[in-house]
Amino acid sequence: AQLVESGGGSVQAGGSLRLSCAAPGYTLSQYCMSWFRQAPGKERLGVAFINTEGTPTYTDPVKGRFTIIRDNAKNTLYLQMNSLKPEDTAMYYCAAGDRGRPSCVSFLTGQFDAFGQGTQVTVSS
């Protein structure tokens, strides 16, 4: 089983997109769920995570613009992205880790139980 992202696309600066992460075979509420992104030629960077208690945390580049949402009833993770900037252009990935624990160590260590194939987001100026 793996995670499946969707919802990427091309938008102009200032626009919005909502990414989804489906998790067949996983119960997302049992995991720390994270979003990462990777631009061409650059390293993968963390965007946001939400722990099993529902507490979200954001990295500085997206704080105030992005919202991470976990819908337990739909077993789906979302990333609502508003006020998009060209520097947000990247492949976006979701990840699951820290099963059964309130921590999100996986966000720092990269030791995930599952990782998606990514969805492309392109923001034009």
Side-chain angles (χ1 to χ4, degrees):
Q2 63 177 20
L3 308 178
V4 181
E5 301 94 337
S6 62
S10 297
V11 296
Q12 290 190 326
S16 298
L17 282 174
R18 191 180 201 188
L19 307 184
S20 299
C21 172
Y26 290 87
T27 301
L28 295 192
S29 60
Q30 297 179 349
Y31 294 86
C32 169
M33 297 302 301
S34 305
W35 285 100
F36 290 83
R37 65 187 182 185
Q38 188 167 20
K42 296 187 177 181
E43 64 178 338
R44 187 178 69 196
L45 298 174
V47 174
F49 61 85
I50 184 167
N51 67 8
T52 56
E53 297 176 341
T55 302
T57 301
Y58 303 92
T59 56
D60 286 344
V62 307
K63 201 171 293 183
R65 300 186 298 122
F66 290 11
T67 303
I68 186 170
I69 303 161
R70 186 181 63 219
D71 187 328
N72 292 335
K74 295 182 178 180
N75 200 42
T76 302
L77 180 74
Y78 301 97
L79 185 68
Q80 178 66 43
M81 306 186 296
N82 298 328
S83 302
L84 283 162
K85 303 176 181 180
E87 51 262 45
D88 294 319
T89 294
M91 187 73 80
Y92 284 71
Y93 303 88
C94 61
D98 297 87
R99 182 181 179 185
R101 300 188 296 273
S103 63
C104 277
V105 176
S106 57
F107 188 79
L108 299 175
T109 65
Q111 299 296 314
F112 304 114
D113 296 278
F115 202 79
Q117 84 292 344
T119 186
Q120 178 67 38
V121 172
T122 302
V123 185
S124 58
S125 57

